[in-house]
Amino acid sequence: MAQIIDGKAISAQIKEELKEEVSSLKSRGIQPGLAVIIVGSDPASRIYVNLKKKDCEELGILSKEYALPKETTEEELLGLIGELNADPSINGILVQLPVPEQIDENKIIAAISPEKDVDAFHAANVGKIMIGSYSFLPCTPAGCMELIASTGVDITGKNCVVVGRSNIVGKPMAMLLLHKHGTVTIAHSKTKNLKEVCAAADILVAAVGVPKLIKGDMIKPGAVVIDVGTTKMPDGKLCGDVDFEEASKTASFITPVPGGVGPMTRVILMKNTVTAAKLQNKVKI
């Protein structure tokens, strides 16, 4: 049976380290600040925003929420982002996605100052990830890398398969594995022989949002399996992209859903905010 990779425990450890960093910065007159903008009243988005606010409070990070009505125009949102870009008390800016249809998501991401882009979605930050010279990493892929590191498995030379090619998870995840000298394959909806591709993976990251897409017979014996998927099922429970019961019989390490990648995504956002505060205040990292 696979060993469970406990995202809650690993994120709690990182939180303790961040608490000390925030305390140290405060003693120098620097308080990291995060602005979160939510447009409309999407229930899932509201839950995420509340959790981020709670994390900030726990770590001593200044948290400012801007809850805007669904009818907010693109121009109004861009205006707010411009104000926050110029506000020295705000080190990180996050616009909760998705945004209403009258707003161009790409324009919003491009408007956030790269120095305050703690989601690492801005094209400038994405480019830095490509060349391996970055200040921030996208929260979910960076969290996945921490989870893999916790197993003690060396990525060097391993066959790594990422199922999913989104800009938020799949593509940056592949780059981070490549930077650690993995041999990387990106699989997606057009991939032929997905079963065979996955079964060759020493490290498998599933990030497509299709419940139980990855079956037990698609797992190489001893593989490390990271499940990014979180689909809400009719019974209200969250389900991952991996059939956990089957896969855990074959893998050496596996993340649960929930309690695996989710807590890591949140804590990396906090880490990015602290990093941004250091960079903007010219504190040596």
Side-chain angles (χ1 to χ4, degrees), residues 35-241:
V36 179
I37 303 170
I38 178 170
V39 186
S41 54
D42 178 71
S45 292
R46 171 42 62 192
I47 290 169
Y48 292 139
V49 168
N50 288 346
L51 288 170
K52 288 163 186 172
K53 196 188 297 184
K54 183 183 172 188
D55 289 336
C56 284
E57 193 176 313
E58 189 180 335
L59 298 178
I61 293 172
L62 171 70
S63 173
K64 287 189 179 179
E65 180 189 312
Y66 296 84
L68 307 179
K70 189 179 180 182
E71 301 73 33
T72 298
T73 66
E74 184 176 277
E75 189 178 358
E76 287 169 334
L77 181 52
L78 289 170
L80 174 58
I81 291 170
E83 290 173 17
L84 295 172
N85 280 339
D87 185 344
S89 72
I90 296 298
N91 306 114
I93 302 169
L94 182 149
V95 178
Q96 185 66 43
L97 302 177
V99 288
E101 58 183 15
Q102 75 272 17
I103 298 171
D104 184 337
E105 187 177 292
N106 293 322
K107 276 189 185 177
I108 298 310
I109 291 169
I112 298 171
S113 165
E115 291 183 348
K116 297 190 177 188
D117 169 39
V118 286
D119 262 334
F121 291 166
H122 192 287
N125 288 327
V126 173
K128 287 180 178 180
I129 294 163
M130 285 292 292
I131 62 174
S133 175
Y134 44 77
S135 302
F136 312 119
L137 289 172
C139 301
T140 299
C144 291
M145 293 299 287
E146 293 275 4
L147 293 172
I148 295 168
S150 76
T151 68
V153 172
D154 184 3
I155 296 170
T156 302
K158 297 290 193 301
N159 284 329
C160 304
V161 173
V162 179
V163 187
R165 52 178 165 177
S166 72
N167 291 333
I168 292 174
V169 181
K171 291 175 188 174
M173 185 75 232
M175 290 310 305
L176 296 184
L177 289 165
L178 193 60
H179 289 322
K180 290 292 184 182
H181 313 297
T183 301
V184 184
T185 300
I186 304 177
H188 45 78
S189 59
K190 306 294 183 189
T191 298
K192 295 177 181 178
N193 304 319
L194 180 63
K195 179 178 175 179
E196 287 80 2
V197 171
C198 290
D202 300 307
I203 297 170
L204 177 66
V205 181
V208 285
V210 179
K212 298 188 179 183
L213 173 70
I214 310 297
K215 306 297 183 187
D217 62 0
M218 298 167 74
I219 306 295
K220 181 179 180 179
V224 176
V225 178
I226 306 295
D227 191 351
V228 181
T230 52
T231 302
K232 196 169 187 178
M233 304 303 283
D235 62 3
K237 292 182 179 177
L238 290 178
C239 182
D241 291 349

